[in-house]
Amino acid sequence: MVKKKHVPETKVDLERPAPVTRKPAYSVLEFLEIHPISRRGFYGEVAAGRLVARKQGGRTIVLDTDYQNYLDALPRLDPAVLSGSGEGEE
């Protein structure tokens, strides 16, 4: 019989996510694994010209700087939406 080595339980702080190591560029698969967007959404944003993707040989990549520019260009949330003013709600 093989004894299993006891591994102490580690606690995960759900309030503070683990830091993500940023890379200068990501393959599409890497990008989708760490960013909150679906594959369909990714290609839709690229097709619309809002997110820049590049070709490196046969690979499609996204530069971290292009993703940061994409985020910076997103519209800001109107504070009135958060205040519960009721405007625009049906």
Side-chain angles (χ1 to χ4, degrees), residues 34-69:
I34 62 173
H35 294 91
I37 189 169
S38 68
R39 185 177 193 87
R40 181 178 180 182
F42 169 82
Y43 283 110
E45 292 299 289
V46 171
R50 292 184 288 264
L51 178 60
V52 177
R54 301 166 189 266
K55 291 302 271 188
Q56 181 184 33
R59 285 178 11 143
T60 301
I61 62 171
V62 177
L63 300 181
D64 184 62
T65 53
D66 288 332
Y67 181 61
Q68 293 304 315
N69 291 337

